[in-house]
Amino acid sequence: MSYNLNVSIDKSSGFCFGVVYAIDMAEDILDHEEYLYCLGDIVHNDEEVERLKTKGLRIIDHTKLQDLHNEKVLIRAHGEAPSTYELALKNNLTLIDASCPVVLKLQNRIKNSHDDDEQILIFGKHGHAEVIGLQGQTNGNAIVFQDLAELDGAELPQKFTLYSQTTKSVDKFYQIKDELINRGYEVKANDTICRQVSNRYEELADFVKDFDKIIFVSGKKSSNGKVLHDVCKKHNENTYFVSNIDELEKEWFQANDKVGICGATSTPMWLMENVKHTLETY
Ligand code: SF4
């Protein structure tokens, strides 16, 4: 049976400028060189990572970096802690620094704009590369939490400064700030959420309303993918999360459905186009 779906891709979905910058940098080098090391997945999207691996990108972790000498290594958009730069000097590594300017600015703020005895709190995901890089600016002294409940038993000073990982939800950040103030703390809150993500809330909310079904395309490891998927789901309950075309299910659709495709800041446009072409074969 032919479904005759009417499929459109959201024009404002796809890579943010930080990811474009890192991928362009990697591809420029791979056009002339056989391989390039990259510290961690260049983007939280397995399909895009696989595409770049076939061009010679070699993903390594921090353990492997310890043993690497005299090579070029790309630092991805999430940025790195100072210890990575120190190791690069020691191992004679040439760093190709594609840290996103937004993340670098946040790292500098955390590093420079507070007194030594000021306690820093970072609302961010434990173990996330960007958060490790941010915490590294404070010699590991910043307290990282991803849920307010984690602070229940913590001994906090009466006064502290709050920052956020760039891809967290704006609403959640301000709820946390208000709750901490209600608990009697003096909170200097710095909203350091990247507008490349947060501006998409409204754009996506508008986009998804016009469709019968929404296919949200994102890697499962993407933080902003989770946030933006929740936005879509809130405004159109017929939203389905997929990471690749194999996860599409024909039963989700009915004849003549209007289907919208959108994605995270780490979702490549070619992948959303593949989803569109697949749906058009139904
Ligand atoms: S989401 Fe924002 S901070 Fe993160 S890489 Fe993209 S532009 Fe940079």
Side-chain angles (χ1 to χ4, degrees), residues 165-196:
Q165 182 182 352
T166 55
T167 46
K168 283 291 181 193
S169 144
V170 174
D171 288 352
K172 191 94 188 280
F173 177 79
Y174 283 103
Q175 277 168 21
I176 286 169
K177 176 196 163 191
D178 292 345
E179 174 58 24
L180 289 169
I181 290 172
N182 286 341
R183 290 183 188 184
Y185 295 111
E186 196 178 320
V187 185
K188 188 174 150 205
N190 295 299
D191 170 358
T192 49
I193 292 159
C194 175
R195 269 35 195 174
Q196 287 271 310

Short mmCIF file of all heavy atoms in Angstrom, two decimals, residues 165-196:
data_model
loop_
_atom_site.label_atom_id
_atom_site.label_comp_id
_atom_site.label_asym_id
_atom_site.label_seq_id
_atom_site.Cartn_x
_atom_site.Cartn_y
_atom_site.Cartn_z
N GLN A 165 26.03 24.24 31.90
CA GLN A 165 26.50 23.65 30.64
C GLN A 165 25.72 24.33 29.51
O GLN A 165 24.53 24.66 29.69
CB GLN A 165 26.20 22.15 30.69
CG GLN A 165 26.66 21.37 29.48
CD GLN A 165 26.28 19.89 29.59
OE1 GLN A 165 25.80 19.42 30.63
NE2 GLN A 165 26.48 19.18 28.50
N THR A 166 26.34 24.53 28.36
CA THR A 166 25.71 25.36 27.31
C THR A 166 24.43 24.76 26.72
O THR A 166 23.63 25.50 26.15
CB THR A 166 26.70 25.57 26.14
OG1 THR A 166 27.15 24.29 25.69
CG2 THR A 166 27.88 26.41 26.55
N THR A 167 24.25 23.44 26.85
CA THR A 167 23.11 22.83 26.18
C THR A 167 21.95 22.47 27.12
O THR A 167 21.04 21.75 26.74
CB THR A 167 23.56 21.55 25.43
OG1 THR A 167 24.40 20.80 26.31
CG2 THR A 167 24.33 21.89 24.18
N LYS A 168 22.00 22.99 28.35
CA LYS A 168 20.91 22.67 29.28
C LYS A 168 19.65 23.49 28.97
O LYS A 168 19.70 24.51 28.26
CB LYS A 168 21.38 22.96 30.71
CG LYS A 168 22.28 21.87 31.25
CD LYS A 168 21.49 20.62 31.46
CE LYS A 168 22.30 19.49 32.01
NZ LYS A 168 21.58 18.22 31.93
N SER A 169 18.55 23.06 29.57
CA SER A 169 17.28 23.75 29.35
C SER A 169 17.26 25.07 30.15
O SER A 169 17.59 25.09 31.34
CB SER A 169 16.15 22.83 29.79
OG SER A 169 15.10 23.54 30.37
N VAL A 170 16.86 26.15 29.47
CA VAL A 170 16.78 27.46 30.12
C VAL A 170 15.77 27.43 31.27
O VAL A 170 16.05 27.92 32.36
CB VAL A 170 16.37 28.55 29.09
CG1 VAL A 170 16.16 29.89 29.77
CG2 VAL A 170 17.42 28.68 28.00
N ASP A 171 14.61 26.84 31.02
CA ASP A 171 13.56 26.79 32.05
C ASP A 171 14.07 26.10 33.31
O ASP A 171 13.87 26.56 34.43
CB ASP A 171 12.32 26.03 31.56
CG ASP A 171 11.57 26.83 30.53
OD1 ASP A 171 11.93 28.01 30.34
OD2 ASP A 171 10.65 26.27 29.90
N LYS A 172 14.74 24.97 33.10
CA LYS A 172 15.25 24.18 34.23
C LYS A 172 16.29 25.00 35.01
O LYS A 172 16.30 24.99 36.24
CB LYS A 172 15.86 22.88 33.68
CG LYS A 172 16.20 21.84 34.69
CD LYS A 172 15.10 20.83 34.90
CE LYS A 172 15.37 19.90 36.06
NZ LYS A 172 16.28 18.81 35.72
N PHE A 173 17.13 25.72 34.28
CA PHE A 173 18.18 26.52 34.93
C PHE A 173 17.54 27.55 35.87
O PHE A 173 17.95 27.71 37.02
CB PHE A 173 19.04 27.21 33.86
CG PHE A 173 20.10 28.12 34.44
CD1 PHE A 173 21.27 27.59 34.95
CD2 PHE A 173 19.91 29.49 34.49
CE1 PHE A 173 22.25 28.41 35.49
CE2 PHE A 173 20.88 30.33 35.04
CZ PHE A 173 22.05 29.79 35.54
N TYR A 174 16.51 28.24 35.36
CA TYR A 174 15.89 29.29 36.20
C TYR A 174 15.06 28.69 37.34
O TYR A 174 14.98 29.28 38.42
CB TYR A 174 15.08 30.27 35.33
CG TYR A 174 16.02 31.23 34.62
CD1 TYR A 174 16.33 31.06 33.28
CD2 TYR A 174 16.66 32.26 35.31
CE1 TYR A 174 17.24 31.91 32.64
CE2 TYR A 174 17.57 33.10 34.68
CZ TYR A 174 17.85 32.93 33.35
OH TYR A 174 18.75 33.76 32.72
N GLN A 175 14.50 27.51 37.12
CA GLN A 175 13.80 26.83 38.24
C GLN A 175 14.79 26.52 39.35
O GLN A 175 14.51 26.71 40.53
CB GLN A 175 13.21 25.49 37.75
CG GLN A 175 11.86 25.59 37.07
CD GLN A 175 11.51 24.28 36.36
OE1 GLN A 175 12.05 23.21 36.68
NE2 GLN A 175 10.64 24.38 35.37
N ILE A 176 15.97 26.04 38.95
CA ILE A 176 17.00 25.69 39.93
C ILE A 176 17.46 26.93 40.68
O ILE A 176 17.59 26.93 41.91
CB ILE A 176 18.19 24.98 39.22
CG1 ILE A 176 17.77 23.56 38.86
CG2 ILE A 176 19.44 24.97 40.07
CD1 ILE A 176 18.73 22.84 37.94
N LYS A 177 17.70 28.00 39.94
CA LYS A 177 18.13 29.26 40.58
C LYS A 177 17.09 29.70 41.62
O LYS A 177 17.43 29.99 42.77
CB LYS A 177 18.29 30.33 39.49
CG LYS A 177 18.63 31.69 40.03
CD LYS A 177 18.39 32.76 38.98
CE LYS A 177 18.33 34.12 39.66
NZ LYS A 177 17.85 35.16 38.77
N ASP A 178 15.81 29.70 41.22
CA ASP A 178 14.76 30.16 42.14
C ASP A 178 14.68 29.27 43.37
O ASP A 178 14.52 29.75 44.49
CB ASP A 178 13.39 30.18 41.42
CG ASP A 178 13.35 31.27 40.36
OD1 ASP A 178 14.24 32.16 40.38
OD2 ASP A 178 12.45 31.23 39.50
N GLU A 179 14.79 27.97 43.15
CA GLU A 179 14.70 27.03 44.26
C GLU A 179 15.85 27.24 45.25
O GLU A 179 15.66 27.22 46.47
CB GLU A 179 14.67 25.59 43.72
CG GLU A 179 14.72 24.49 44.76
CD GLU A 179 13.58 24.54 45.79
OE1 GLU A 179 12.52 25.10 45.48
OE2 GLU A 179 13.79 24.02 46.92
N LEU A 180 17.05 27.47 44.73
CA LEU A 180 18.21 27.68 45.61
C LEU A 180 18.05 28.98 46.40
O LEU A 180 18.40 29.05 47.58
CB LEU A 180 19.52 27.68 44.80
CG LEU A 180 19.93 26.30 44.26
CD1 LEU A 180 21.06 26.42 43.25
CD2 LEU A 180 20.34 25.36 45.40
N ILE A 181 17.50 30.00 45.75
CA ILE A 181 17.25 31.27 46.47
C ILE A 181 16.19 31.04 47.55
O ILE A 181 16.33 31.50 48.69
CB ILE A 181 16.84 32.38 45.47
CG1 ILE A 181 18.05 32.76 44.61
CG2 ILE A 181 16.30 33.61 46.20
CD1 ILE A 181 17.76 33.69 43.46
N ASN A 182 15.16 30.26 47.20
CA ASN A 182 14.12 29.95 48.20
C ASN A 182 14.68 29.20 49.40
O ASN A 182 14.17 29.29 50.50
CB ASN A 182 13.00 29.07 47.58
CG ASN A 182 12.13 29.88 46.67
OD1 ASN A 182 12.13 31.11 46.76
ND2 ASN A 182 11.41 29.23 45.76
N ARG A 183 15.75 28.44 49.16
CA ARG A 183 16.37 27.70 50.27
C ARG A 183 17.26 28.60 51.12
O ARG A 183 17.93 28.14 52.03
CB ARG A 183 17.21 26.53 49.73
CG ARG A 183 16.35 25.42 49.13
CD ARG A 183 17.23 24.26 48.68
NE ARG A 183 16.45 23.27 47.95
CZ ARG A 183 16.94 22.12 47.50
NH1 ARG A 183 18.19 21.81 47.72
NH2 ARG A 183 16.16 21.28 46.84
N GLY A 184 17.34 29.88 50.76
CA GLY A 184 18.06 30.84 51.60
C GLY A 184 19.48 31.16 51.14
O GLY A 184 20.20 31.89 51.81
N TYR A 185 19.89 30.65 49.98
CA TYR A 185 21.25 30.93 49.50
C TYR A 185 21.28 32.25 48.73
O TYR A 185 20.29 32.66 48.12
CB TYR A 185 21.75 29.81 48.58
CG TYR A 185 21.90 28.49 49.27
CD1 TYR A 185 21.06 27.42 48.99
CD2 TYR A 185 22.92 28.29 50.21
CE1 TYR A 185 21.19 26.20 49.61
CE2 TYR A 185 23.06 27.06 50.84
CZ TYR A 185 22.20 26.03 50.54
OH TYR A 185 22.35 24.82 51.16
N GLU A 186 22.47 32.85 48.74
CA GLU A 186 22.68 34.03 47.89
C GLU A 186 23.34 33.51 46.61
O GLU A 186 24.47 33.03 46.64
CB GLU A 186 23.62 35.00 48.62
CG GLU A 186 23.62 36.39 48.04
CD GLU A 186 24.54 37.31 48.83
OE1 GLU A 186 24.55 37.21 50.09
OE2 GLU A 186 25.24 38.07 48.20
N VAL A 187 22.59 33.56 45.52
CA VAL A 187 23.05 32.91 44.28
C VAL A 187 23.35 33.95 43.21
O VAL A 187 22.47 34.74 42.84
CB VAL A 187 21.97 31.94 43.74
CG1 VAL A 187 22.49 31.18 42.52
CG2 VAL A 187 21.49 30.97 44.80
N LYS A 188 24.57 33.93 42.72
CA LYS A 188 24.89 34.77 41.56
C LYS A 188 24.75 33.84 40.35
O LYS A 188 25.60 32.95 40.14
CB LYS A 188 26.31 35.30 41.70
CG LYS A 188 26.69 36.31 40.65
CD LYS A 188 28.06 36.88 40.97
CE LYS A 188 28.77 37.28 39.70
NZ LYS A 188 30.21 37.27 39.83
N ALA A 189 23.66 33.98 39.61
CA ALA A 189 23.39 33.02 38.54
C ALA A 189 23.82 33.57 37.18
O ALA A 189 23.44 34.69 36.81
CB ALA A 189 21.90 32.70 38.51
N ASN A 190 24.61 32.82 36.47
CA ASN A 190 25.04 33.19 35.12
C ASN A 190 24.39 32.25 34.12
O ASN A 190 24.75 31.07 34.07
CB ASN A 190 26.57 33.08 34.99
CG ASN A 190 27.27 34.07 35.89
OD1 ASN A 190 27.10 35.26 35.75
ND2 ASN A 190 28.04 33.56 36.84
N ASP A 191 23.46 32.78 33.37
CA ASP A 191 22.81 31.96 32.36
C ASP A 191 23.78 31.83 31.18
O ASP A 191 23.93 32.75 30.38
CB ASP A 191 21.51 32.66 31.94
CG ASP A 191 20.88 32.02 30.72
OD1 ASP A 191 21.45 31.07 30.17
OD2 ASP A 191 19.80 32.50 30.30
N THR A 192 24.44 30.69 31.11
CA THR A 192 25.46 30.48 30.07
C THR A 192 24.99 29.43 29.07
O THR A 192 25.79 28.66 28.53
CB THR A 192 26.79 30.08 30.71
OG1 THR A 192 26.57 29.02 31.64
CG2 THR A 192 27.42 31.25 31.44
N ILE A 193 23.68 29.41 28.85
CA ILE A 193 23.11 28.44 27.90
C ILE A 193 23.25 29.00 26.48
O ILE A 193 22.99 30.19 26.25
CB ILE A 193 21.65 28.16 28.28
CG1 ILE A 193 21.66 27.40 29.62
CG2 ILE A 193 20.95 27.35 27.20
CD1 ILE A 193 20.38 27.48 30.37
N CYS A 194 23.66 28.15 25.58
CA CYS A 194 23.92 28.59 24.21
C CYS A 194 22.61 28.87 23.49
O CYS A 194 21.72 28.01 23.47
CB CYS A 194 24.70 27.50 23.46
SG CYS A 194 24.93 27.90 21.74
N ARG A 195 22.52 30.03 22.88
CA ARG A 195 21.28 30.41 22.19
C ARG A 195 21.08 29.61 20.90
O ARG A 195 19.98 29.59 20.35
CB ARG A 195 21.25 31.92 21.94
CG ARG A 195 20.59 32.74 23.06
CD ARG A 195 20.81 32.18 24.43
NE ARG A 195 19.92 32.74 25.46
CZ ARG A 195 19.86 32.31 26.70
NH1 ARG A 195 20.61 31.31 27.11
NH2 ARG A 195 19.04 32.86 27.57
N GLN A 196 22.13 28.98 20.39
CA GLN A 196 21.96 28.10 19.22
C GLN A 196 21.02 26.95 19.57
O GLN A 196 20.36 26.40 18.71
CB GLN A 196 23.31 27.52 18.79
CG GLN A 196 24.23 28.50 18.13
CD GLN A 196 24.01 28.55 16.63
OE1 GLN A 196 23.98 27.53 15.96
NE2 GLN A 196 23.83 29.74 16.11
#
